[in-house]
Amino acid sequence: REGVYGTAVLAGLTVQDSGGVRRAEGVASDLVSQQLDAVLLDLRVAAAKSGMLGSAANVIALAERIGAVPLVVDPVLISSSGHRLLDEDAIDALRDRLLPLARICTPNLAEAAVLLGVDSIDPADAADAARALFDRFGAFAVVTGGHGEGERAVDHAWVGRAIAIGGARVHTEDDHGTGCLHSAAIAAALARGLDLEAALRHGKFVVSRGLANAVRPGRGRGSVYAI
């Protein structure tokens, strides 16, 4: 549907269902490194996204190999069900080694606060947070608005200028996987040659469509399907 061919490097294994994450274990960094080498040497990678990395060693393995590939960093820190997905000591590696290599990062408000080293960020200050992420790390940023309030879910981005990408808030509990869907859609758009603002707007569209068409296959929160 996105017009791209996707491949994957597994940096972590999870035990999860539609209710949330029950357990998460990082993959050994040498295995992550070998997977990265296999993909990057074999394929002409037009864009990449990172998600759950698990450990500082895995963050560094990616940073050492990504080169000039346009990278979308989804700073997956804690699952929506409260399970930690990145070791505490890996946050500095994410800040110091990976984010400066990223084309864009896609945190929610809570993740942006951790990256900036503050306790919390008010939704009204999301635009300032996006600019602060760029000033600190050199990566353009979009702070997603799905965890805010009101009838509009607005993402605030800094792409050399401030932009707000709004959409009607979809009222559903079936929102498991929206962050992954969002960053993947942005990476796919970049791989197809869209400019950064167009890629961000595409990511917002895909998430909104996915939420509107979400299904509940299990007994908990459902998965998101963009159909």
Side-chain angles (χ1 to χ4, degrees):
R1 181 63 71 88
E2 297 294 343
V4 298
Y5 176 82
T7 188
V9 169
L10 297 181
L13 299 175
T14 66
V15 178
Q16 63 178 305
D17 56 19
S18 58
V21 177
R22 300 170 181 268
R23 180 179 175 181
E25 296 286 345
V27 170
S29 60
D30 63 328
L31 185 55
V32 171
S33 297
Q34 290 175 23
Q35 291 179 80
L36 284 164
D37 289 340
V39 170
L40 293 169
L41 290 172
D42 184 48
L43 301 175
R44 182 174 57 83
V45 179
K49 63 143 295 196
S50 64
M52 174 187 168
L53 291 171
S55 68
N58 286 345
V59 173
I60 292 168
L62 176 58
E64 289 178 341
R65 287 164 173 79
I66 197 61
V69 175
L71 175 66
V72 178
V73 172
D74 180 6
V76 178
L77 305 179
I78 299 174
S79 72
S80 56
S81 56
H83 201 100
R84 176 166 289 280
L85 301 177
L86 184 70
D87 294 344
E88 187 71 31
D89 63 0
I91 295 175
D92 284 341
L94 188 70
R95 292 181 179 132
D96 298 340
R97 298 293 299 274
L98 195 60
L99 283 174
L101 302 177
R103 179 76 185 279
I104 191 161
C105 62
T106 63
N108 59 35
L109 286 166
E111 292 163 342
V114 172
L115 295 177
L116 292 171
V118 298
D119 290 335
S120 63
I121 297 172
D122 189 278
D125 297 324
D128 292 336
R131 176 63 189 268
L133 287 163
F134 173 78
D135 289 342
R136 178 165 178 178
F137 302 111
F140 296 124
V142 54
V143 179
T144 58
H147 292 86
E149 301 293 336
E151 291 304 309
R152 300 283 291 173
V154 181
D155 298 346
H156 289 278
W158 179 262
V159 293
R161 60 187 179 88
I163 60 172
I165 306 171
R169 186 175 301 280
V170 179
H171 295 282
T172 176
E173 293 183 352
D174 299 328
D175 57 359
H176 188 51
T178 49
C180 298
L181 179 64
H182 181 241
S183 56
I186 293 170
L190 292 175
R192 289 168 51 196
L194 275 67
D195 64 37
L196 190 54
E197 182 175 343
L200 294 180
R201 294 189 183 281
H202 176 72
K204 181 71 168 180
F205 167 75
V206 169
V207 168
S208 297
R209 186 178 63 184
L211 286 167
N213 292 280
V215 297
R216 179 171 289 187
R219 293 180 296 176
R221 301 164 68 195
S223 297
V224 169
Y225 294 90
I227 55 177

